[in-house]
Every structure is written in C-alpha cells, then in structure tokens.
Amino acid sequence: GQHFLLADSLDDVMLQIEETLLQEKRPEPQDASIRGSGAEIADLLQEYGTRVDLAQGEELLTQGTRSDHLVFLREGRLRATVTDRNHESRIVSRFLPGAIVGEIAYYAGVDRTATLTAETVSTVIRIDAEALDLMERTDPTAAAHFHRHLASVLANRLLTTTRLLSDAEL
C-alpha cells in the first residue's frame, strides 16, 4: 500500500522519516556497541565534564561565537542550524544521544560554525579545556582514548561532507 505523510513543512516530513529510520537502526541496550567505546566515552565525560540540562528550544551554542568547549549529548535531541549571508537559517543536522558536537570549532580554534538548539528537553555534558587538561594529567590513557574517539568523529564528518559535495557536483 501507499503511505502518505502530512506535515506543515518539508523539514517536518524529513524529521518524521528520520525518526522512523533511527528507531529501526537504534541498537538494543544489550548490543555490544553500547557497552563498548561509546559507553566508555560517556563514563569518561561524566567524570570530567559538567552536566547541563536544556529546556526544549534552548540555544546551546551560537553560530559565530568563540569556542571554548565541546559537548556530549546524553539525552534528548539537538538541531544544528546555519544562517547564511541573507540571514536565512536552515537545519543542517540533528543529533541523538551519544553524539559529540562542537568539536570542529573547539579543536580548530575558530568561531562556531552553526547554532545548536535543543529540539527536546535534553541533557549534555560540557567539556572545556580545563576538563581535558585534568583528564590528561590524571588519566593519560583515558585522555588518549577520548582524543582518538574525537579524531574518528571528525574523520567521519569529513567523509560525509566530502560525499555530499561530490554528489552535489553530479
């Protein structure tokens, strides 16, 4: 049979489709991937970071501001929007629990490339330079694991961007 989605905007339709796909792909709690690297990173961030609770619609990071931290999403959903020169905003990404965001501006030492807003009530763990310094001093092995994880996140985002740009040229 045919399926129809009714919504106020194309973005709302895409969000509904994305939610359906994510629910189908989300691993069960007993899945080894939950107990592996992701869980270790979550524990590490919980120990060294600062918990921040966000209300729905609350802005977490603002495009164009200086970066002094990155965040790990523990609960909820975040939306990244980019505002262009014509002051038009568009959603460029959504993040679910387990995502690390803000790492590009943090590591590159540049202004935030997007605005990050809580789409739902959310909880993040904020990691700043002092927290990373403390981690490196007290547990160098864990810090190396964390930086390797972030390098993997950055590499995957670069790969995705490269593929999108390559597809757009066709």
Side-chain angles (χ1 to χ4, degrees), residues 154-170:
L154 283 164
N156 282 315
R157 290 207 180 135
L158 177 60
L159 185 59
T160 299
T161 301
T162 302
R163 285 180 180 154
L164 287 172
L165 290 172
S166 176
D167 290 346
E169 290 172 5
L170 297 176

Side-chain angles (χ1 to χ4, degrees), residues 52-73:
V52 179
D53 294 314
L54 302 165
Q56 182 178 358
E58 189 172 347
E59 204 170 276
L60 176 63
L61 307 174
T62 306
Q63 181 179 339
T65 59
R66 289 307 283 173
S67 169
D68 66 350
H69 65 279
L70 50 92
V71 294
F72 173 80
L73 178 59

Side-chain angles (χ1 to χ4, degrees), residues 1 15-16 20 37 83 94 96 140 168:
L15 178 58
Q16 289 178 37
T20 302
S37 177
T83 303
R94 286 192 170 86
L96 293 173

Side-chain angles (χ1 to χ4, degrees), residues 45 48-50 68-71 106 125-129 131-132 146:
L45 296 180
Y48 290 95
T50 304
D68 66 350
H69 65 279
L70 50 92
V71 294
Y106 177 81
I125 305 296
R126 176 187 163 123
I127 303 293
D128 58 19
L132 283 175
F146 177 72

Side-chain angles (χ1 to χ4, degrees), residues 1-40:
Q2 294 180 333
H3 298 283
F4 295 94
L5 290 176
L6 299 176
D8 293 334
S9 69
L10 178 60
D11 185 59
D12 291 334
V13 171
M14 295 301 290
L15 178 58
Q16 289 178 37
I17 292 168
E18 191 177 69
E19 285 285 338
T20 302
L21 291 171
L22 288 169
Q23 290 301 323
E24 290 172 4
K25 297 280 186 187
R26 187 168 288 164
E28 295 299 319
Q30 68 268 19
D31 191 307
S33 66
I34 295 295
R35 295 191 309 268
S37 177
E40 292 170 22

